Amino acid sequence: MFYRSTRGNSRPVSAAEAVKTGIAPDGGLYVPGSRVAVTAGEVAAMSGMTYGQRAVKILGLFLTDFTMEEIADCVDGAYGHGKFDALEVAPLHRLDDHLYVLELWHGPTCAFKDMALQMLPRLLPRAAAKTGEDKEIAILVATSGDTGKAALEGFKDVPGTRIIVFYPARGVSAVQERQMVTQEGGNVHVVAVEGNFDQTQSGVKEIFADPAVNEAIGRRGYRFSSANSINWGRLVPQIVYYFSAYGDLLSRGEVEPGERVNFVVPTGNFGNILAAYYARQMGLPVHRLICAANRNNVLTDFIRTGVYDRTREFYRTISPSMDILISSNLERLLYEMTGRDADRVRDWMAALREEGRYRVDEEVLDGIQAVFWSDYAGDRQTMETIRDTYRRYGYLLDTHTAVGKYVYDRYREATGDGHKTVLASTASPFKFNRSVAAAILGEQAVAGQGEFALLRILSEATGLPVPRGLKDLEQKPVRHTLTVAPGEMKRAVLEILA
Ligand SMILES: *Cc1c(COP(=O)(O)O)cnc(C)c1O
């Protein structure tokens, strides 16, 4: 199978090429060039499988130039060997008769990014080898917190790769910084930048685009690549857990074969919910996809009106991983919803770049509304949802997942829809512990407490263990101490890859 660019001006490429390059030369995103379908029988068979078996099955349908042995190897490396602190990898927790929580945060960094960033590092070197690449892959990442750590854990000691993560020196939380500077592994480098996230990200983009740097590292046997969320190799592992959730519902007798379910997804860059859309297109019995946004509700407005308008105020919220005004992966949905009309997609993306907004046609909007529904939660509603859910069910939600729960409740009120529904839970409550502790214990209980103390306080109050990835962080030795000015990032890369 070949992959096409959503902007239509690049030649079709193999899956390996799409994974290696990440983005198409015309600036578009790669999408599967032909329809991938599963039969009702294949969906039913998922119920008897482990997570790893489900992953091999789904990945094999998309990565057609990888052998099944290679895929099984990648899956084993990503999800086997106790990498995840739950045997099921992505366990499904039943809240009540209607609602189930799909816990996607049992990986090493306690957020759902691990689901994809444990897999991509294993696919990349193999993709490079298949496309005749003889150089080692050097991954550059600029992070505002979560992605950097997940990428470090994913690429740690993966043969044929090196990873350099840049983070803004005063732009990440104490826990996030500790997670990164204590990172182990022989091929990992972590560098603090004396600047903000925008400067850090611009610095990385400049290095990627600098021909002299590319040539210099090429002579030393390296080639840059990115672990960015628009890479198809990050999207396809996310399709797996929607099938996995359905397999678990079937095996527990919670749904009949063929019975349709809803998925609620706390959304930022539109990657996670897009994976659910592809699962639906493949034949997974899905009724509605409910897109939950925070106060940066650009997607809610889009799904309601067909107008995407990023010219609005940007808010910092207590669900920071969803504080996004340009949802890159939406481009793939537009391509599918227009019947794969790259001309229209190109026009809209040009309008977004130049005017900050675009409006889709009526029939495209109808198509989107037939599948998607959206609402958003403010910070106060998010806090109340964490408290109410804990009181009512004894179940602790993180701030992002709480946005999803709030929006699901609005959906039930607005539509009366009684289909069983799965809420994608994107982070451990311990990862965003200050807000979570304040929600259930009150502001006084957290005032003046440091983040490490709050881990203990939250654990003692709830009886839940602090997750492995966050425990003992304070005691771990610091291994990375390099700090550079934004103008010195290039030199740092050249010295690291000497
Ligand atoms: C990245 C992230 C999201 C948003 O996911 P998208 O795929 O960007 O829509 C939501 N919650 C958490 C905790 C995240 O880390």
Side-chain angles (χ1 to χ4, degrees), residues 92-115:
L92 192 65
H93 178 93
R94 186 179 194 275
L95 267 198
D96 63 22
D97 288 348
H98 293 284
L99 190 60
Y100 304 79
V101 182
L102 177 61
E103 297 178 347
L104 301 174
W105 40 261
H106 287 278
T109 76
C110 308
F112 98 101
K113 303 274 190 301
D114 289 329
M115 301 302 299

PDB file of all heavy atoms in Angstrom, residues 92-115:
ATOM      1  N   LEU A  92      -9.318  -1.258  30.631  1.00  0.00           N
ATOM      2  CA  LEU A  92     -10.609  -0.584  30.524  1.00  0.00           C
ATOM      3  C   LEU A  92     -11.294  -0.658  31.890  1.00  0.00           C
ATOM      4  O   LEU A  92     -11.529  -1.754  32.405  1.00  0.00           O
ATOM      5  CB  LEU A  92     -11.447  -1.302  29.467  1.00  0.00           C
ATOM      6  CG  LEU A  92     -12.721  -0.624  28.990  1.00  0.00           C
ATOM      7  CD1 LEU A  92     -12.400   0.678  28.267  1.00  0.00           C
ATOM      8  CD2 LEU A  92     -13.483  -1.563  28.045  1.00  0.00           C
ATOM      9  N   HIS A  93     -11.597   0.505  32.458  1.00  0.00           N
ATOM     10  CA  HIS A  93     -12.200   0.559  33.793  1.00  0.00           C
ATOM     11  C   HIS A  93     -13.668   0.947  33.664  1.00  0.00           C
ATOM     12  O   HIS A  93     -14.003   1.957  33.067  1.00  0.00           O
ATOM     13  CB  HIS A  93     -11.447   1.597  34.638  1.00  0.00           C
ATOM     14  CG  HIS A  93     -12.005   1.770  36.008  1.00  0.00           C
ATOM     15  ND1 HIS A  93     -11.527   1.061  37.089  1.00  0.00           N
ATOM     16  CD2 HIS A  93     -13.002   2.552  36.476  1.00  0.00           C
ATOM     17  CE1 HIS A  93     -12.218   1.406  38.159  1.00  0.00           C
ATOM     18  NE2 HIS A  93     -13.111   2.308  37.823  1.00  0.00           N
ATOM     19  N   ARG A  94     -14.553   0.147  34.263  1.00  0.00           N
ATOM     20  CA  ARG A  94     -15.987   0.407  34.156  1.00  0.00           C
ATOM     21  C   ARG A  94     -16.410   1.397  35.229  1.00  0.00           C
ATOM     22  O   ARG A  94     -16.205   1.147  36.420  1.00  0.00           O
ATOM     23  CB  ARG A  94     -16.719  -0.923  34.362  1.00  0.00           C
ATOM     24  CG  ARG A  94     -18.187  -0.890  34.154  1.00  0.00           C
ATOM     25  CD  ARG A  94     -18.702  -2.312  34.385  1.00  0.00           C
ATOM     26  NE  ARG A  94     -20.050  -2.491  33.902  1.00  0.00           N
ATOM     27  CZ  ARG A  94     -21.138  -2.194  34.602  1.00  0.00           C
ATOM     28  NH1 ARG A  94     -21.013  -1.685  35.802  1.00  0.00           N
ATOM     29  NH2 ARG A  94     -22.330  -2.407  34.083  1.00  0.00           N
ATOM     30  N   LEU A  95     -16.960   2.533  34.818  1.00  0.00           N
ATOM     31  CA  LEU A  95     -17.445   3.499  35.810  1.00  0.00           C
ATOM     32  C   LEU A  95     -18.891   3.217  36.175  1.00  0.00           C
ATOM     33  O   LEU A  95     -19.264   3.206  37.337  1.00  0.00           O
ATOM     34  CB  LEU A  95     -17.358   4.931  35.267  1.00  0.00           C
ATOM     35  CG  LEU A  95     -16.122   5.787  35.548  1.00  0.00           C
ATOM     36  CD1 LEU A  95     -16.452   7.238  35.316  1.00  0.00           C
ATOM     37  CD2 LEU A  95     -15.563   5.587  36.951  1.00  0.00           C
ATOM     38  N   ASP A  96     -19.749   3.027  35.165  1.00  0.00           N
ATOM     39  CA  ASP A  96     -21.152   2.653  35.425  1.00  0.00           C
ATOM     40  C   ASP A  96     -21.708   1.921  34.211  1.00  0.00           C
ATOM     41  O   ASP A  96     -20.941   1.494  33.343  1.00  0.00           O
ATOM     42  CB  ASP A  96     -21.995   3.890  35.813  1.00  0.00           C
ATOM     43  CG  ASP A  96     -22.077   4.931  34.718  1.00  0.00           C
ATOM     44  OD1 ASP A  96     -21.859   4.587  33.528  1.00  0.00           O
ATOM     45  OD2 ASP A  96     -22.366   6.095  35.021  1.00  0.00           O
ATOM     46  N   ASP A  97     -23.022   1.788  34.113  1.00  0.00           N
ATOM     47  CA  ASP A  97     -23.630   1.010  33.029  1.00  0.00           C
ATOM     48  C   ASP A  97     -23.305   1.556  31.650  1.00  0.00           C
ATOM     49  O   ASP A  97     -23.374   0.838  30.652  1.00  0.00           O
ATOM     50  CB  ASP A  97     -25.160   1.032  33.173  1.00  0.00           C
ATOM     51  CG  ASP A  97     -25.603   0.195  34.341  1.00  0.00           C
ATOM     52  OD1 ASP A  97     -24.758  -0.555  34.866  1.00  0.00           O
ATOM     53  OD2 ASP A  97     -26.784   0.298  34.729  1.00  0.00           O
ATOM     54  N   HIS A  98     -23.018   2.852  31.577  1.00  0.00           N
ATOM     55  CA  HIS A  98     -22.848   3.490  30.274  1.00  0.00           C
ATOM     56  C   HIS A  98     -21.410   3.825  29.941  1.00  0.00           C
ATOM     57  O   HIS A  98     -21.034   3.859  28.784  1.00  0.00           O
ATOM     58  CB  HIS A  98     -23.648   4.805  30.230  1.00  0.00           C
ATOM     59  CG  HIS A  98     -25.106   4.609  30.271  1.00  0.00           C
ATOM     60  ND1 HIS A  98     -25.815   4.184  29.174  1.00  0.00           N
ATOM     61  CD2 HIS A  98     -25.993   4.760  31.274  1.00  0.00           C
ATOM     62  CE1 HIS A  98     -27.087   4.090  29.497  1.00  0.00           C
ATOM     63  NE2 HIS A  98     -27.232   4.427  30.768  1.00  0.00           N
ATOM     64  N   LEU A  99     -20.621   4.122  30.981  1.00  0.00           N
ATOM     65  CA  LEU A  99     -19.328   4.761  30.725  1.00  0.00           C
ATOM     66  C   LEU A  99     -18.143   3.932  31.220  1.00  0.00           C
ATOM     67  O   LEU A  99     -18.127   3.459  32.354  1.00  0.00           O
ATOM     68  CB  LEU A  99     -19.308   6.141  31.396  1.00  0.00           C
ATOM     69  CG  LEU A  99     -18.124   7.042  31.033  1.00  0.00           C
ATOM     70  CD1 LEU A  99     -18.086   7.329  29.537  1.00  0.00           C
ATOM     71  CD2 LEU A  99     -18.181   8.337  31.830  1.00  0.00           C
ATOM     72  N   TYR A 100     -17.152   3.798  30.336  1.00  0.00           N
ATOM     73  CA  TYR A 100     -15.930   3.049  30.623  1.00  0.00           C
ATOM     74  C   TYR A 100     -14.747   3.981  30.392  1.00  0.00           C
ATOM     75  O   TYR A 100     -14.778   4.802  29.473  1.00  0.00           O
ATOM     76  CB  TYR A 100     -15.813   1.840  29.686  1.00  0.00           C
ATOM     77  CG  TYR A 100     -17.015   0.932  29.760  1.00  0.00           C
ATOM     78  CD1 TYR A 100     -18.199   1.251  29.086  1.00  0.00           C
ATOM     79  CD2 TYR A 100     -16.981  -0.226  30.532  1.00  0.00           C
ATOM     80  CE1 TYR A 100     -19.321   0.440  29.183  1.00  0.00           C
ATOM     81  CE2 TYR A 100     -18.091  -1.042  30.628  1.00  0.00           C
ATOM     82  CZ  TYR A 100     -19.265  -0.709  29.954  1.00  0.00           C
ATOM     83  OH  TYR A 100     -20.354  -1.509  30.055  1.00  0.00           O
ATOM     84  N   VAL A 101     -13.721   3.829  31.209  1.00  0.00           N
ATOM     85  CA  VAL A 101     -12.527   4.671  31.059  1.00  0.00           C
ATOM     86  C   VAL A 101     -11.386   3.815  30.505  1.00  0.00           C
ATOM     87  O   VAL A 101     -11.034   2.790  31.089  1.00  0.00           O
ATOM     88  CB  VAL A 101     -12.110   5.290  32.406  1.00  0.00           C
ATOM     89  CG1 VAL A 101     -10.903   6.204  32.212  1.00  0.00           C
ATOM     90  CG2 VAL A 101     -13.268   6.060  33.031  1.00  0.00           C
ATOM     91  N   LEU A 102     -10.835   4.226  29.379  1.00  0.00           N
ATOM     92  CA  LEU A 102      -9.721   3.515  28.755  1.00  0.00           C
ATOM     93  C   LEU A 102      -8.419   4.176  29.219  1.00  0.00           C
ATOM     94  O   LEU A 102      -8.089   5.290  28.798  1.00  0.00           O
ATOM     95  CB  LEU A 102      -9.856   3.588  27.225  1.00  0.00           C
ATOM     96  CG  LEU A 102      -8.740   2.964  26.393  1.00  0.00           C
ATOM     97  CD1 LEU A 102      -8.599   1.470  26.665  1.00  0.00           C
ATOM     98  CD2 LEU A 102      -8.982   3.221  24.903  1.00  0.00           C
ATOM     99  N   GLU A 103      -7.701   3.500  30.101  1.00  0.00           N
ATOM    100  CA  GLU A 103      -6.505   4.100  30.727  1.00  0.00           C
ATOM    101  C   GLU A 103      -5.289   3.938  29.820  1.00  0.00           C
ATOM    102  O   GLU A 103      -4.741   2.850  29.680  1.00  0.00           O
ATOM    103  CB  GLU A 103      -6.259   3.437  32.089  1.00  0.00           C
ATOM    104  CG  GLU A 103      -7.399   3.676  33.068  1.00  0.00           C
ATOM    105  CD  GLU A 103      -7.182   2.990  34.415  1.00  0.00           C
ATOM    106  OE1 GLU A 103      -6.270   2.136  34.500  1.00  0.00           O
ATOM    107  OE2 GLU A 103      -7.918   3.307  35.362  1.00  0.00           O
ATOM    108  N   LEU A 104      -4.871   5.060  29.233  1.00  0.00           N
ATOM    109  CA  LEU A 104      -3.789   5.036  28.244  1.00  0.00           C
ATOM    110  C   LEU A 104      -2.458   5.516  28.833  1.00  0.00           C
ATOM    111  O   LEU A 104      -1.555   5.880  28.106  1.00  0.00           O
ATOM    112  CB  LEU A 104      -4.169   5.919  27.048  1.00  0.00           C
ATOM    113  CG  LEU A 104      -5.450   5.507  26.324  1.00  0.00           C
ATOM    114  CD1 LEU A 104      -5.822   6.537  25.258  1.00  0.00           C
ATOM    115  CD2 LEU A 104      -5.280   4.127  25.685  1.00  0.00           C
ATOM    116  N   TRP A 105      -2.381   5.506  30.186  1.00  0.00           N
ATOM    117  CA  TRP A 105      -1.219   6.149  30.826  1.00  0.00           C
ATOM    118  C   TRP A 105      -0.417   5.197  31.695  1.00  0.00           C
ATOM    119  O   TRP A 105       0.230   5.635  32.644  1.00  0.00           O
ATOM    120  CB  TRP A 105      -1.680   7.337  31.664  1.00  0.00           C
ATOM    121  CG  TRP A 105      -2.962   7.106  32.421  1.00  0.00           C
ATOM    122  CD1 TRP A 105      -4.203   7.524  32.041  1.00  0.00           C
ATOM    123  CD2 TRP A 105      -3.142   6.402  33.669  1.00  0.00           C
ATOM    124  NE1 TRP A 105      -5.148   7.134  32.969  1.00  0.00           N
ATOM    125  CE2 TRP A 105      -4.525   6.444  33.969  1.00  0.00           C
ATOM    126  CE3 TRP A 105      -2.280   5.747  34.549  1.00  0.00           C
ATOM    127  CZ2 TRP A 105      -5.062   5.853  35.117  1.00  0.00           C
ATOM    128  CZ3 TRP A 105      -2.816   5.156  35.685  1.00  0.00           C
ATOM    129  CH2 TRP A 105      -4.187   5.213  35.958  1.00  0.00           C
ATOM    130  N   HIS A 106      -0.418   3.928  31.387  1.00  0.00           N
ATOM    131  CA  HIS A 106       0.360   2.991  32.203  1.00  0.00           C
ATOM    132  C   HIS A 106       1.791   2.820  31.721  1.00  0.00           C
ATOM    133  O   HIS A 106       2.524   1.975  32.211  1.00  0.00           O
ATOM    134  CB  HIS A 106      -0.361   1.648  32.294  1.00  0.00           C
ATOM    135  CG  HIS A 106      -1.574   1.721  33.184  1.00  0.00           C
ATOM    136  ND1 HIS A 106      -1.484   1.615  34.552  1.00  0.00           N
ATOM    137  CD2 HIS A 106      -2.869   1.942  32.902  1.00  0.00           C
ATOM    138  CE1 HIS A 106      -2.692   1.755  35.082  1.00  0.00           C
ATOM    139  NE2 HIS A 106      -3.554   1.950  34.101  1.00  0.00           N
ATOM    140  N   GLY A 107       2.200   3.611  30.730  1.00  0.00           N
ATOM    141  CA  GLY A 107       3.571   3.545  30.221  1.00  0.00           C
ATOM    142  C   GLY A 107       4.555   4.279  31.113  1.00  0.00           C
ATOM    143  O   GLY A 107       4.184   4.825  32.153  1.00  0.00           O
ATOM    144  N   PRO A 108       5.821   4.309  30.678  1.00  0.00           N
ATOM    145  CA  PRO A 108       6.890   4.829  31.544  1.00  0.00           C
ATOM    146  C   PRO A 108       6.758   6.297  31.944  1.00  0.00           C
ATOM    147  O   PRO A 108       7.313   6.687  32.972  1.00  0.00           O
ATOM    148  CB  PRO A 108       8.168   4.595  30.718  1.00  0.00           C
ATOM    149  CG  PRO A 108       7.742   4.133  29.383  1.00  0.00           C
ATOM    150  CD  PRO A 108       6.331   3.676  29.458  1.00  0.00           C
ATOM    151  N   THR A 109       6.056   7.139  31.179  1.00  0.00           N
ATOM    152  CA  THR A 109       6.002   8.558  31.555  1.00  0.00           C
ATOM    153  C   THR A 109       4.617   8.998  32.035  1.00  0.00           C
ATOM    154  O   THR A 109       4.374  10.181  32.244  1.00  0.00           O
ATOM    155  CB  THR A 109       6.461   9.481  30.407  1.00  0.00           C
ATOM    156  OG1 THR A 109       5.422   9.584  29.433  1.00  0.00           O
ATOM    157  CG2 THR A 109       7.718   8.953  29.744  1.00  0.00           C
ATOM    158  N   CYS A 110       3.686   8.048  32.166  1.00  0.00           N
ATOM    159  CA  CYS A 110       2.387   8.306  32.790  1.00  0.00           C
ATOM    160  C   CYS A 110       1.450   9.178  31.956  1.00  0.00           C
ATOM    161  O   CYS A 110       0.506   9.785  32.497  1.00  0.00           O
ATOM    162  CB  CYS A 110       2.532   8.919  34.183  1.00  0.00           C
ATOM    163  SG  CYS A 110       3.609   7.983  35.250  1.00  0.00           S
ATOM    164  N   ALA A 111       1.674   9.289  30.648  1.00  0.00           N
ATOM    165  CA  ALA A 111       0.721   9.978  29.769  1.00  0.00           C
ATOM    166  C   ALA A 111       0.546   9.157  28.488  1.00  0.00           C
ATOM    167  O   ALA A 111       1.365   8.285  28.179  1.00  0.00           O
ATOM    168  CB  ALA A 111       1.196  11.381  29.441  1.00  0.00           C
ATOM    169  N   PHE A 112      -0.520   9.441  27.742  1.00  0.00           N
ATOM    170  CA  PHE A 112      -0.850   8.563  26.611  1.00  0.00           C
ATOM    171  C   PHE A 112       0.160   8.662  25.469  1.00  0.00           C
ATOM    172  O   PHE A 112       0.187   7.800  24.600  1.00  0.00           O
ATOM    173  CB  PHE A 112      -2.283   8.849  26.109  1.00  0.00           C
ATOM    174  CG  PHE A 112      -2.360   9.750  24.922  1.00  0.00           C
ATOM    175  CD1 PHE A 112      -2.567   9.225  23.647  1.00  0.00           C
ATOM    176  CD2 PHE A 112      -2.225  11.116  25.058  1.00  0.00           C
ATOM    177  CE1 PHE A 112      -2.645  10.057  22.544  1.00  0.00           C
ATOM    178  CE2 PHE A 112      -2.289  11.954  23.958  1.00  0.00           C
ATOM    179  CZ  PHE A 112      -2.495  11.422  22.697  1.00  0.00           C
ATOM    180  N   LYS A 113       1.032   9.674  25.484  1.00  0.00           N
ATOM    181  CA  LYS A 113       2.050   9.792  24.433  1.00  0.00           C
ATOM    182  C   LYS A 113       2.927   8.527  24.360  1.00  0.00           C
ATOM    183  O   LYS A 113       3.477   8.206  23.319  1.00  0.00           O
ATOM    184  CB  LYS A 113       2.938  11.008  24.679  1.00  0.00           C
ATOM    185  CG  LYS A 113       2.218  12.347  24.788  1.00  0.00           C
ATOM    186  CD  LYS A 113       1.989  12.980  23.439  1.00  0.00           C
ATOM    187  CE  LYS A 113       1.485  14.416  23.510  1.00  0.00           C
ATOM    188  NZ  LYS A 113       0.217  14.620  24.233  1.00  0.00           N
ATOM    189  N   ASP A 114       3.057   7.819  25.500  1.00  0.00           N
ATOM    190  CA  ASP A 114       3.852   6.592  25.505  1.00  0.00           C
ATOM    191  C   ASP A 114       3.297   5.540  24.539  1.00  0.00           C
ATOM    192  O   ASP A 114       4.067   4.743  24.011  1.00  0.00           O
ATOM    193  CB  ASP A 114       3.879   5.968  26.912  1.00  0.00           C
ATOM    194  CG  ASP A 114       4.715   6.772  27.899  1.00  0.00           C
ATOM    195  OD1 ASP A 114       5.688   7.412  27.477  1.00  0.00           O
ATOM    196  OD2 ASP A 114       4.367   6.754  29.100  1.00  0.00           O
ATOM    197  N   MET A 115       1.986   5.504  24.345  1.00  0.00           N
ATOM    198  CA  MET A 115       1.392   4.475  23.487  1.00  0.00           C
ATOM    199  C   MET A 115       2.031   4.528  22.093  1.00  0.00           C
ATOM    200  O   MET A 115       2.289   3.500  21.479  1.00  0.00           O
ATOM    201  CB  MET A 115      -0.127   4.655  23.361  1.00  0.00           C
ATOM    202  CG  MET A 115      -0.910   4.606  24.661  1.00  0.00           C
ATOM    203  SD  MET A 115      -0.744   3.089  25.620  1.00  0.00           S
ATOM    204  CE  MET A 115      -1.378   1.854  24.521  1.00  0.00           C
TER     205      MET A 115
END
